[in-house]
């Protein structure tokens, strides 16, 4: 790593920071994937986590996932909150015995020295009602700041994890802000250059934050979104029904396209929620509808080649 | 005798679970040892974020031998019975059995002796069993082994176990047992960052010393002492004072193995936020202590961090990092607070129309409206200003919709007070936002301002009658809507503030609140206890009659009994007062109980009680015998003895005197009047034979006894007193 040019060093540039993490996890045998090409609320929704966490086959992957949280938009005015941000996601199945050590080594790889900084594992049990998933683990603190989530999946999409996968989620902007020593996310140095060549996070994303905040809170077409939710839900169900290779329901051939529609429904629900058009009581029922899709996809996945023992 | 050392080394155990886990480990291991006949001398358990440890000392090296005597079939009994006997006892033949004679004949007796096992073998059986059945609140599977559903579960992955057994002077033995994926031996590790290497331990004393050397303070109490002492020293050096917080201290001590206390600070501009908000922010999110200036009692811009490492730079980077996070959190809090101040409390109220309080009891807006009308009624009884009470009841819950309370629910009420004062509300109105939630528990203070009292009583009574009407009463240990706490709150407020209020009326008004809003579920609930009535008010009143028989009044009186008993009063005296019936004024009940207690402590009281009980007992027997009561005034012309006449005269004067005193609520006076009865009662029982041979005289004397009982009922039903 000492051979890195200064502009690629994790404490100098956001992109260098991401590359350092990718390199570290590649060394641990992970496949380094690219972001999934759909809008989603968290890296966990990526089929490389949700579906690959299921079934007996070993799996190790790491990737960046742009995450959309329409409600968290602040029109580019809050130094910490974004409606679009990056998560770095690691999944290892079965969870290796030294996963905590690996995590701490990864912090070292991005410039956090545990002789200098107070790193702590603080109880945080993870649950995703929309994914029918839960696990036990921690939020990882660095000097009092939550920088990662560390979870041993126990159940995903309503299916017991056997074996259990370990999942790490790094909040990239927040960690990079820490490492770069800046208090405002828009001040992050994106490319590690100085002077006129310097590109900040704000240069790349501030306008998007402003525009999407307007969209998410004020203008997103709710009639269209309600339709989209219904359509995604319907499509997910029909793809799932069509995917069974026979009436015995022992082999499924279309779990992934069906799951895409589940991701879609989930994101559309988040947009509707941000627009404030879903009442408290309806909210629960929408969450249950997405969960039912996720569960059905999980069940189908367990009958595919990657999801089954065969 | 040998000692056991057990350590279960895992990934980080949630702080809130550590103390109970240590205690569970101690209890389970020692219980099993005792069950196995291994009576130990002492045991102590400890927890850190990464380990549970247990030392049990003075365990016998072996179980005692177990001698068993078992009676078998009769000599010469059936073949099958004898075969079964041999099989069950493990005897090879009847030659090994003894023959014992008893009155029924000769029987085979098997004397077996089960030799005790070495304690180390017993431990090898019980330890894995305890680990597999350990009662963690939540547990998980992990790693390769988790492919099987039978995999070991633990609170977080369990890595290794130290289990040694032996006497002090010798090398201890490792207890041998298998758990998949977990190494069992005598190797442990020190602090995760400061001394991560593995090392061997032999027994408890070298274990503790080596851990200390490896930067692990095993005993949570010791970690707490270190944190507290260092924190105090650090802030006192700046002439400040630590705001102590035992619950936070427990938690923080469960997050570190090697506590290092550091002092950070934040921008003084944040001190414009209320102290409680700063404290809640720093406590909930950062698990740091706040610091006050003893001169003003206000917070200063300092906070105390408990780190888990001795940092190579002395902690500077840790302080800078924590300060940065706290700055961001306080910015949020300040933003929330200032945003809240921009909206008047009353402007938030319409939102309550869409927020459900309880699906059967309507919205929060409906609840607030009911509290307003009930508070208006109560205001007259507690001397509260009607306009202020109405305003207070309307605004008291508005802060539930503020940003700060959304973020920190524990600040409900308090924020309402701040916001009310900020928008220029009357001090009593503002106070009611905070105080109408009180008392929250037996240790909480009781509201004193009449406006707060009116709103607090209305709030609690509305809750009580509503949940009662929809049949959501507390059962056993379950009281999800905290109705016991509400009832106790009502009692404490009434007693502490000497409030005169007719429970029947306010409970009825509380029910009317629901029915006048058209709540059909509550109406049906009332009708299920009530006689049919043409009006709501009538239904409520007759419902209340039915209700008081076994419903809410009993519930409240039970709470009162608990309350008085906790204060040292006798619950039978409470029963004796309630048994009079119509006791609808809690304050008077309490006053009566107090006076009765004092009276019964005196000789006059004790003797009068004895005399009254004697009269009641005789009456009960004779009433049963004759299948009639002996009501009505005795006939003076039938009195044959002086003692009869004297008693009749005494009752004739004492009865009205006591009743008059009761009417004036002078219970001590009533008791003093009662005391005058005593000589006449004593003399009567001394000289007079009640069951005279002449039936008319007997009846007359029984009527006189009945008069004693009737007279004492002016103050209490003495038959309930034990």
């Amino acid at each position: 790593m000492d051979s890195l040019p200064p502009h690629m060093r994790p404490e100098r540039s956001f992109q260098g920071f991401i590359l350092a993490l990718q390199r570290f996890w590649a060394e641990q045998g992970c496949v380094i994937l690219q972001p999934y090409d759909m809008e989603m609320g968290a890296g966990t929704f990526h089929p490389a986590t949700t579906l690959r966490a299921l079934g007996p086959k070993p799996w190790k992957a790491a990737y960046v996932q742009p995450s959309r949280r329409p409600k968290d938009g602040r029109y580019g005015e809050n130094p910490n909150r974004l409606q679009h941000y990056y998560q770095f996601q690691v999944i290892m199945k079965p969870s290796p015995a030294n996963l905590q050590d690996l995590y701490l080594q990864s912090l070292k790889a991005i410039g956090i020295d545990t002789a200098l900084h107070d790193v702590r594992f603080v109880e945080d049990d993870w649950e995703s009602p929309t994914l029918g998933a839960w696990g036990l683990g921690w939020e990882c603190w660095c000097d009092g700041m939550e920088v990662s989530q560390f979870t041993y999946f126990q159940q995903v999409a309503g299916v017991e994890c056997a074996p259990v996968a370990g999942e790490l989620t790094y909040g990239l902007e927040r960690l990079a802000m820490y490492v770069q020593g800046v208090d405002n996310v828009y001040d992050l140095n994106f490319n590690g250059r100085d002077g006129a060549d310097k590109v900040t996070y704000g240069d790349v994303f501030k306008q998007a934050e402003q525009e999407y905040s307007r969209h998410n809170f004020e203008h997103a077409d709710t009639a269209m979104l309600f339709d989209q939710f219904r359509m995604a839900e319907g499509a997910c169900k029909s793809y799932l029904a069509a995917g069974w290779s026979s009436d015995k329901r022992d082999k499924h051939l279309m779990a992934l396209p069906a799951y895409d529609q589940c991701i879609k429904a989930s994101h559309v629900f988040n947009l509707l929620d941000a627009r404030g058009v879903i009442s408290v009581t309806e909210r629960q029922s929408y969450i249950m509808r997405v969960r039912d899709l996720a569960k059905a996809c999980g069940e189908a996945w367990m009958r595919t080649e990657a999801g089954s023992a065969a | 005798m040998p000692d056991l050392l057990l350590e279960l080394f895992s990934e980080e155990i949630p702080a809130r679970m550590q103390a109970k886990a240590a205690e569970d480990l101690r209890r389970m291991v020692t219980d099993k040892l005792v069950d196995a006949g291994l009576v130990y001398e002492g045991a102590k358990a400890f927890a850190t974020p990464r380990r549970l440890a247990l030392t049990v000392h003075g365990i016998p090296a072996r179980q005692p031998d177990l001698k068993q005597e078992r009676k078998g079939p009769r000599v010469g009994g059936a073949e099958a019975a004898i075969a079964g006997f041999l099989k069950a006892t493990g005897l090879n033949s009847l030659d090994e059995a003894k023959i014992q004679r008893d009155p029924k004949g000769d029987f085979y007796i098997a004397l077996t002796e089960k030799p005790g096992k070495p304690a180390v073998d017993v431990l090898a059986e019980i330890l894995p069993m305890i680990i597999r059945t350990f009662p963690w609140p939540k547990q998980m599977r992990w790693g390769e082994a988790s492919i099987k559903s039978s995999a070991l579960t633990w609170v977080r992955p369990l890595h290794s176990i130290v289990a040694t057994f032996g006497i002090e002077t010798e090398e201890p033995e490792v207890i041998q047992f298998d758990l998949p994926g977990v190494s069992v031996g005598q190797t442990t590790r020190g602090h995760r960052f400061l001394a991560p290497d593995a090392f061997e331990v032999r027994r408890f004393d070298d274990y503790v010393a080596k851990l200390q050397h490896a930067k692990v303070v095993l005993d949570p109490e010791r970690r707490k002492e270190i944190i507290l002492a260092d924190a105090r020293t650090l802030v006192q050096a700046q002439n400040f004072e630590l705001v102590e917080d035992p619950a936070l201290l427990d938690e923080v001590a469960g997050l570190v193995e090697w506590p290092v206390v550091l002092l950070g600070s934040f921008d003084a501009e944040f001190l414009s936020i209320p102290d409680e908000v700063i404290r809640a922010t720093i406590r909930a999110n950062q698990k740091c202590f706040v610091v006050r200036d003893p001169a003003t009692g206000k917070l200063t811009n300092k906070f105390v961090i408990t780190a888990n490492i001795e940092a190579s730079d002395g902690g500077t980077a840790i302080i800078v990092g924590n300060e940065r996070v706290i700055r961001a959190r306080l910015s949020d809090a300040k933003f929330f607070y200032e945003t809240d101040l921009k909206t008047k409390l009353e402007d938030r109220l319409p939102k309550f129309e869409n927020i459900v309080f309880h699906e059967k009891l309507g919205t929060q807006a409906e609840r607030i409206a009911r509290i307003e009308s009930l508070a208006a009624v109560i205001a007259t009884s507690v001397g509260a200003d009607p306009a202020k009470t109405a305003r207070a009841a309307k605004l008291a819950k508005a802060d539930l919709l503020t940003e700060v309370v959304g973020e920190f629910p524990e600040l409900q009420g308090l924020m309402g007070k701040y916001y009310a004062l900020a928008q220029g509300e009357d001090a009593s109105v503002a106070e009611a936002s905070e105080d109408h939630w009180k008392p929250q528990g037996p240790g909480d203070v009781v509201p004193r301002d009449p406006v707060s009292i009116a709103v607090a009583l209305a709030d609690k009574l509305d809750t009580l009658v509503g949940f009662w009407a929809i049949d959501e009463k507390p059962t056993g240990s379950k009281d999800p809507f905290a109705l016991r706490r509400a009832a106790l709150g009502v009692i404490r407020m009434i007693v502490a503030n000497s409030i005169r209020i007719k429970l029947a009326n306010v409970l009825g008004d509380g029910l009317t609140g629901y029915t006048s809003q058209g709540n059909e579920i509550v109406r049906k609930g009332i009708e299920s206890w009530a006689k049919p009535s043409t009006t709501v008010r009538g239904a409520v009143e007759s419902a209340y009659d039915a209700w008081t028989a076994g419903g809410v009044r009993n519930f409240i009186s039970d709470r009162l009994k608990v309350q008085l008993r906790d204060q040292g009063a006798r619950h039978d005296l409470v029963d004796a007062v309630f048994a009079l019936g119509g006791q609808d004024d809690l304050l008077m009940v309490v006053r009566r109980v107090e006076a009765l207690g004092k009276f019964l402590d005196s000789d006059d009281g004790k003797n009068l009680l004895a005399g009254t009980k004697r009269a009641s007992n005789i009456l009960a027997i004779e009433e049963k015998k004759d299948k009639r009561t002996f009501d009505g005034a005795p006939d003076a012309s039938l009195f044959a003895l002086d003692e009869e006449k004297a008693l009749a005269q005494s009752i004739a004067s004492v009865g009205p005197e006591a009743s008059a005193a009761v009417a004036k609520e002078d219970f001590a006076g009533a008791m003093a009047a009662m005391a005058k009865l005593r000589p006449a009662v004593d003399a009567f029982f001394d000289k007079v034979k009640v069951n005279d041979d002449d039936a008319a005289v007997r009846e007359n004397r029984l009527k006189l006894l009945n008069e004693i009982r009737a007279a004492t009922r002016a103050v209490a039903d003495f038959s309930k007193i034990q």
Side-chain angles (χ1 to χ4, degrees):
Chain A
M1 217 175 72
D2 290 333
S3 62
L4 282 178
H7 63 270
M8 289 306 290
R9 299 186 69 85
E11 64 276 17
R12 286 283 309 266
S13 85
F14 189 54
Q15 61 205 38
F17 183 88
I18 292 173
L19 290 170
L21 272 179
Q22 290 184 332
R23 220 166 97 160
F24 176 85
W25 287 103
E27 288 301 315
Q28 313 310 321
C30 289
V31 293
I32 303 299
L33 298 174
Q34 300 306 316
Y36 203 59
D37 57 344
M38 289 187 72
E39 301 143 308
M40 55 182 68
T44 309
F45 276 85
H46 194 310
T49 292
T50 309
L51 296 180
R52 291 278 181 176
L54 298 177
K57 291 192 170 126
W59 175 248
K60 293 184 198 175
Y63 55 90
V64 173
Q65 181 61 46
S67 302
R68 303 234 192 182
R69 305 260 168 110
K71 255 184 160 171
D72 283 352
R74 293 292 183 272
Y75 296 83
E77 284 167 14
N78 184 296
N80 301 301
R81 291 236 196 187
L82 302 163
Q83 57 82 43
H84 169 286
Y85 69 105
Y86 287 126
Q87 285 188 344
F88 190 86
Q89 179 86 3
V90 179
I91 175 133
M92 299 186 107
K93 179 177 75 172
S95 63
N98 64 341
L99 189 56
Q100 278 189 314
D101 289 335
L102 291 177
Y103 170 71
L104 294 169
Q105 287 169 35
S106 77
L107 290 186
K108 197 166 186 180
I110 52 176
I112 293 177
D113 177 0
T114 54
L116 206 56
H117 295 284
D118 186 25
V119 178
R120 227 82 74 71
F121 294 92
V122 181
E123 177 191 15
D124 190 36
D125 300 340
W126 174 81
E127 192 182 7
S128 169
T130 43
L131 278 179
W134 71 276
L136 298 188
W138 309 273
E139 45 182 54
C140 307
W141 285 19
C142 176
D143 300 336
M145 180 172 65
E146 185 198 337
V147 291
S148 311
Q149 283 279 334
F150 189 130
T151 307
Y152 291 102
F153 282 155
Q154 302 295 301
Q155 195 186 75
V156 176
V159 181
E160 288 295 311
C161 298
V164 162
E167 181 213 41
L168 303 172
T169 303
Y170 303 73
L172 285 179
E173 286 82 354
R174 192 186 278 198
L175 256 172
M177 283 165 71
Y178 196 76
V179 171
Q180 288 191 24
V182 300
D183 287 337
N184 189 325
V185 64
Y186 298 110
D187 295 337
L188 276 176
N189 188 331
F190 210 107
N191 64 350
R193 306 285 174 163
D194 295 315
D197 294 334
K198 176 175 164 181
V199 177
T200 66
Y201 194 90
D203 294 333
V204 182
F205 283 119
K206 191 154 187 172
Q207 181 183 327
E209 282 300 311
Q210 292 162 342
E211 293 188 3
Y212 276 102
S213 294
R214 270 173 228 129
H215 165 265
N216 299 343
F217 293 123
E218 302 165 46
H219 298 287
D221 183 338
T222 56
M224 175 194 78
L225 290 169
F226 278 119
D227 281 346
Q228 284 185 347
F229 187 91
R230 277 189 292 274
M231 288 162 79
E233 185 182 39
C236 181
K237 287 178 180 167
S238 66
Y239 300 166
L240 282 172
W244 294 109
S245 70
S246 76
D247 288 347
K248 285 187 291 174
R249 290 169 76 93
D250 55 356
K251 197 159 193 229
H252 202 282
L253 304 173
M254 227 161 40
L256 285 163
Y259 179 65
D260 279 357
Q261 298 304 314
C262 172
I263 298 176
K264 182 85 187 161
S266 171
H267 176 65
V268 169
F269 161 72
N270 287 341
L271 279 170
L272 287 166
D273 199 25
R275 287 282 274 122
V277 291
I278 293 182
S279 74
V280 180
T281 36
E282 282 177 315
R283 202 167 181 279
Q284 197 53 32
S285 111
Y286 274 95
I287 289 172
M288 297 302 283
R289 283 162 76 180
V290 177
R291 182 207 303 225
D292 287 344
L293 298 180
K295 281 187 171 177
C297 291
E299 190 197 341
W301 172 259
M302 295 298 284
R303 299 284 179 233
T304 66
E305 195 186 325
S308 61
Chain B
M1 279 197 285
D3 304 333
L4 164 71
L5 169 64
L6 178 67
E7 183 203 58
L8 304 165
F9 182 79
S10 67
E11 297 179 12
E12 275 75 357
I13 306 166
R16 67 188 170 92
M17 299 178 190
Q18 291 168 18
K20 179 169 183 295
E23 175 51 28
D24 284 341
L25 183 64
R26 189 196 61 76
R27 179 181 48 78
M28 291 173 89
V29 172
T30 56
D31 282 359
K32 288 269 182 250
L33 284 173
V34 172
D35 286 350
L38 295 167
V39 178
Y40 61 98
E41 284 169 9
K44 197 158 168 41
F46 305 90
T48 79
R50 293 214 290 167
R51 59 200 94 218
L52 292 181
L54 173 70
T55 168
V56 183
H57 66 267
I59 303 174
R62 297 187 72 84
Q63 281 178 306
D65 297 340
L66 199 63
K67 286 191 179 132
Q68 257 184 341
E69 198 180 281
R70 189 169 163 149
K71 190 174 174 185
R74 191 185 292 273
V75 173
E79 284 281 314
I82 288 170
F85 171 64
L86 292 177
K87 194 174 174 206
T89 53
L91 298 186
N92 294 315
S93 75
L94 285 176
D95 300 343
E96 293 173 16
K98 266 180 45 175
I99 295 173
Q100 203 172 57
R101 170 161 298 177
D102 68 19
K104 290 182 189 161
D106 290 340
F107 291 87
Y108 289 112
I109 299 287
L111 286 176
T112 50
E113 197 177 78
K114 207 174 142 200
K117 280 194 279 187
V120 70
D121 293 349
V122 174
L123 283 164
E125 283 169 23
I126 66 179
L127 293 181
M129 194 159 64
I130 287 166
I131 292 164
R132 284 190 174 278
T133 58
F134 202 78
W136 290 108
K138 275 187 187 171
Q139 36 197 319
M140 55 167 278
R141 297 169 291 117
W142 66 92
E144 277 175 47
S146 60
I147 196 150
K148 292 197 187 130
S149 59
S150 62
L152 178 66
T153 59
W154 199 244
V155 63
R156 293 293 184 276
L158 178 63
H159 284 284
S160 63
I161 296 174
V162 171
T164 68
F165 187 73
I167 57 173
E168 207 174 319
T169 48
E170 287 173 13
E171 199 58 30
E173 223 178 311
V174 169
I175 301 166
Q176 301 291 341
F177 58 93
D178 277 330
L179 283 172
V182 183
S183 66
V184 181
Q186 54 189 129
T187 304
T188 188
R189 287 173 186 277
H191 189 280
R192 184 187 277 288
F193 301 110
L194 299 174
D197 293 338
F199 55 88
E200 291 217 332
V201 295
R202 290 195 297 277
R203 63 179 66 80
F204 184 65
D205 46 5
D206 81 311
Y207 170 71
V208 173
K210 283 179 178 167
L211 277 183
Q212 180 78 22
H213 185 70
K215 307 286 187 190
V216 175
V217 180
L218 180 65
D219 187 347
E221 290 304 318
R222 179 81 194 110
R223 293 197 300 276
K224 281 161 66 175
E225 284 166 18
I226 294 170
I227 296 166
L228 197 55
D230 290 358
R232 283 178 182 152
T233 310
L234 210 54
V235 300
Q236 273 161 14
Q238 307 213 7
N239 293 320
F240 293 135
E241 194 175 82
L242 185 73
V243 177
E244 295 192 10
D245 187 335
L248 180 61
L249 183 61
D250 279 341
E251 185 178 6
V252 167
L255 289 170
V256 294
E257 290 201 312
W258 191 253
V260 175
V261 176
L262 302 166
L263 190 65
S265 59
F266 54 85
D267 198 324
E269 74 161 306
F270 291 121
L271 292 173
S272 66
I273 314 170
D275 278 4
E276 293 86 350
V277 179
I278 294 177
R279 183 175 175 187
T281 303
I282 290 181
R283 180 189 205 277
N285 298 311
Q286 299 314 122
K287 316 224 186 283
C288 291
F289 295 90
V290 289
V291 175
R292 73 164 85 82
D293 181 348
T296 62
K298 298 276 292 167
L299 292 191
T300 69
N301 62 331
K302 304 281 177 209
F303 62 95
V304 174
I305 307 157
T306 311
N308 188 33
I309 58 164
E310 278 168 356
S312 52
D313 66 347
T316 310
I318 296 174
I319 293 172
V320 169
N322 275 277
E323 285 177 344
R324 178 179 296 152
V325 186
I326 281 187
R327 189 187 315 136
R329 295 289 192 176
L330 287 177
S331 301
D332 282 348
K334 188 162 185 274
F335 176 75
F336 291 149
Y337 177 62
E338 287 169 356
T339 306
D340 284 346
L341 286 173
K342 287 179 193 155
T343 306
K344 291 208 153 196
L345 289 169
E346 57 266 42
D347 294 341
R348 300 182 181 278
L349 298 176
K351 271 202 174 167
F352 280 131
E353 287 161 21
N354 299 317
I355 297 174
V356 176
F357 166 56
H358 182 281
E359 55 167 339
K360 293 180 182 169
L361 298 179
T363 65
Q364 284 280 32
E366 289 172 310
R367 179 184 178 207
I368 291 167
R370 289 192 306 270
I371 293 173
E372 254 185 272
S373 21
L374 192 52
V377 175
I378 295 171
T380 57
S381 304
V382 301
D385 180 273
K388 287 181 192 171
T389 304
R391 181 77 180 157
K394 187 185 281 297
L395 299 183
K397 296 192 190 292
D399 69 340
L400 292 177
L401 296 172
T402 62
E403 301 275 348
V404 170
V405 175
E407 197 76 3
F408 303 111
E410 70 269 28
L411 297 182
Q412 73 176 24
L414 181 74
M415 295 319 297
K417 180 174 84 172
Y418 283 126
Y419 297 141
L421 289 173
Q423 68 181 43
E425 300 293 337
D426 175 86
S428 287
V429 171
E431 199 71 40
S433 281
E434 183 177 15
D435 281 2
H436 88 282
W437 295 106
K438 295 177 182 172
Q440 293 275 15
D444 195 15
V445 296
V446 170
R448 293 292 184 179
D449 185 295
V451 172
S452 291
I453 294 168
V455 181
L457 277 176
D459 186 17
K460 288 168 179 64
L461 290 168
D462 177 75
T463 300
L464 277 170
V465 297
F467 284 103
W468 221 268
I470 60 169
D471 204 22
E472 286 281 3
K473 301 165 200 167
T475 50
S477 62
K478 286 200 189 107
D479 185 9
F481 303 107
L483 300 187
R484 289 195 184 99
R485 195 170 76 188
L488 187 61
V490 169
I491 292 166
R492 288 187 58 208
M493 278 189 277
I494 287 177
V495 175
N497 294 298
S498 301
I499 293 169
R500 305 298 305 277
I501 208 159
K502 291 276 179 217
L503 266 188
N505 294 354
V506 285
L507 292 173
D509 289 334
L511 286 171
T512 310
Y514 285 95
T515 51
S516 65
Q517 286 177 344
N519 187 319
E520 284 304 311
I521 300 170
V522 169
R523 182 196 297 274
K524 289 202 179 95
I526 298 168
E527 281 167 1
S528 73
W529 323 305
K531 293 186 283 264
S533 170
T534 47
T535 64
V536 168
R537 182 77 216 187
V540 167
E541 275 164 7
S542 77
Y544 184 75
D545 290 340
W547 205 13
T548 47
V552 110
R553 202 201 58 192
N554 278 355
F555 180 63
I556 293 178
S557 63
D558 282 349
R559 291 295 97 200
L560 180 61
K561 273 182 236 170
V562 172
Q563 161 82 352
L564 290 172
R565 195 175 49 210
D566 288 351
Q567 290 170 355
R570 288 165 48 178
H571 64 93
D572 57 330
L573 303 190
V574 187
D575 284 336
V577 171
F578 273 112
L580 295 176
Q583 293 302 307
D584 212 28
D585 183 326
L586 292 182
L587 186 66
M588 290 305 106
V589 171
V590 173
R591 296 280 184 269
R592 250 180 222 264
V593 170
E594 282 167 5
L596 190 58
K598 275 190 195 140
F599 180 54
L600 291 177
D601 282 343
S602 71
D603 279 345
D604 281 347
K606 285 190 188 106
N607 283 311
L608 181 63
L609 174 64
T612 311
K613 275 191 171 289
R614 196 165 159 191
S616 297
N617 290 341
I618 295 170
L619 271 168
I621 294 166
E622 301 309 316
E623 282 171 348
K624 202 172 166 195
K625 209 185 278 170
D626 291 17
K627 299 193 175 65
R628 58 163 289 197
T629 58
F630 296 95
D631 299 328
D635 181 350
S637 67
L638 287 173
F639 291 144
L641 301 171
D642 288 347
E643 287 77 10
E644 278 180 284
K645 290 174 197 157
L647 178 57
Q649 274 168 10
S650 182
I651 291 171
S653 70
V654 163
E657 191 182 339
S659 299
V662 167
K664 286 189 289 178
E665 293 166 6
D666 174 11
F667 299 112
M671 300 297 165
M674 282 291 143
K676 294 182 195 161
L677 266 183
R678 176 198 163 187
V681 171
D682 287 354
F684 178 86
F685 282 120
D686 224 22
K687 302 281 188 212
V688 180
K689 183 184 165 206
V690 176
N691 284 319
D692 195 83
D693 297 335
D694 181 335
V697 172
R698 170 176 171 268
E699 182 185 332
N700 208 45
R701 286 179 181 167
L702 286 169
K703 282 182 173 172
L704 193 53
L705 289 189
N706 193 46
E707 291 281 286
I708 301 178
R709 194 167 61 174
T712 54
R713 283 184 67 91
V715 291
D717 181 346
F718 278 39
S719 70
K720 301 283 182 196
I721 301 173
Q722 286 148 16

